[in-house]
Amino acid sequence: MKRLVCMICAGWLFVSAVAQTKLNITTDKTTSLVFPFAIKHVDRGTSSVLAQQVKEAPEILLVKAAARDFTETNLSVVTDDGSVYAFTVTYDNKPAVWVYYLPVNRTATISSYTNAILDNERITKGIKDKKYNMSAGVKGIYIKENTIYYQIYINNEGAVDYDIDLLRFFIKDKKRSKRTAVQESEQKPLHITGNYNKVKGSNNTVFVVALEKFTIPDKKYLAIQMMEKNGGRHFLLKVRNKDIMKARVLPDLK
């Protein structure tokens, strides 16, 4: 978990912008912006906007107008989880809102976690597929609230590069009779970090995939399918419910 701690400290480098929020301020009263994470950086469009962080509460920014009727400008705030909050700032004698509670930018938070666990040591064993002088498997399964993170590796011990054409996640029946139609429930990744496009010969790669939290019914498994572009080196990893139940809980971003 060493990398996780380091990446959380530097998580603001992995930014993801959110839609702009209209912010009305005045000279006589202070407007408070309350963020879900500590503030790392503040950028004002012009000096007409005064902004001050609260030492005792690093997630709060106090904003005020330095002059009346200034030209519309902007304000950008980067928080500790890697989010960028953008504001369009205008002057208003009597703003209707004095306190803004900003929501969590979930995409940025997930991105911070996937980057943080990318280089973690292996904690999950037994989920692998090996053939063609190659091997693929799951190094770790992590969970944070409603998101599960799968740390996946591919080792290419051969001389020929491996180009990934298809990466799928779906829930599949363990066994089925010939008369039973195939039923697959596709699981769309929320975010992927790392190289999952090409693995050069005599090389390896690790990537992390974030999926919406789910558990697997009896007699089914999560299939992680990787198929080669213009080739036949395909892999299938089978994740069972007992593997998900052993997922390591990630700490809060701070």
Side-chain angles (χ1 to χ4, degrees):
M1 302 294 282
K2 181 179 179 181
R3 178 179 171 84
L4 176 60
V5 176
C6 294
M7 292 301 298
I8 288 174
C9 294
W12 64 277
L13 292 173
F14 303 96
V15 297
S16 178
V18 296
Q20 287 197 343
T21 300
K22 188 173 182 180
L23 179 63
N24 296 325
I25 61 175
T26 186
T27 55
D28 302 326
K29 293 184 179 181
T30 300
T31 298
S32 300
L33 306 180
V34 183
F35 297 89
F37 296 95
I39 299 165
K40 281 294 183 182
H41 179 73
V42 178
D43 183 76
R44 299 171 296 149
T46 68
S47 58
S48 298
V49 178
L50 302 176
Q52 180 180 347
Q53 293 179 243
V54 180
K55 292 183 179 180
E56 296 80 5
E59 71 280 1
I60 298 177
L61 184 69
L62 305 179
V63 184
K64 200 172 184 179
R68 294 177 178 273
D69 300 318
F70 59 80
T71 303
E72 182 181 289
T73 185
N74 71 302
L75 173 70
S76 297
V77 178
V78 181
T79 55
D80 208 15
D81 70 319
S83 297
V84 175
Y85 293 84
F87 302 87
T88 298
V89 187
T90 57
Y91 181 81
D92 189 335
N93 281 322
K94 296 181 179 180
V97 181
W98 299 105
V99 181
Y100 291 78
Y101 292 93
L102 286 308
V104 171
N105 181 357
R106 188 166 179 244
T107 301
T109 302
I110 291 175
S111 175
S112 295
Y113 276 122
T114 56
N115 278 285
I117 64 181
L118 187 62
D119 291 340
N120 278 8
E121 296 296 325
R122 187 170 188 165
I123 62 169
T124 300
K125 295 182 180 180
I127 308 173
K128 58 185 178 180
D129 193 4
K130 186 174 183 179
K131 48 194 168 186
Y132 317 115
N133 289 323
M134 294 183 62
S135 60
V138 176
K139 289 184 66 176
I141 301 176
Y142 300 84
I143 187 169
K144 183 61 181 177
E145 296 175 348
N146 293 321
T147 306
I148 301 180
Y149 301 85
Y150 295 88
Q151 183 190 23
I152 301 168
Y153 71 88
I154 302 176
N155 294 331
N156 185 1
E157 298 176 3
V160 181
D161 295 351
Y162 182 73
D163 295 291
I164 301 176
D165 183 50
L166 178 67
L167 177 64
R168 286 183 68 208
F169 298 82
F170 55 96
I171 296 175
K172 188 175 182 179
D173 293 332
K174 290 181 181 179
K175 294 181 180 180
R176 68 179 182 86
S177 65
K178 294 182 179 180
R179 296 181 181 179
T180 303
V182 176
Q183 293 187 358
E184 298 177 352
S185 176
E186 195 86 15
Q187 305 297 314
K188 296 293 185 181
L190 301 173
H191 188 79
I192 303 178
T193 291
N195 170 31
Y196 59 99
N197 296 310
K198 178 191 286 288
V199 187
K200 291 186 174 294
S202 303
N203 216 319
N204 60 75
T205 189
V206 177
F207 55 93
V208 177
V209 180
L211 298 178
E212 198 77 43
K213 182 189 72 175
F214 61 85
T215 55
I216 304 173
D218 292 339
K219 300 181 180 180
K220 294 179 182 288
Y221 63 89
L222 171 66
I224 303 175
Q225 184 181 46
M226 290 173 277
M227 302 186 71
E228 182 182 18
K229 183 178 181 180
N230 299 324
R233 293 179 292 179
H234 308 319
F235 295 93
L236 181 65
L237 307 177
K238 299 180 180 181
V239 181
R240 293 172 172 78
N241 201 55
K242 65 179 182 179
D243 301 313
I244 296 176
M245 293 298 103
K246 296 177 183 178
R248 180 169 295 181
V249 179
L250 293 168
D252 294 333
L253 291 171
K254 296 180 179 181

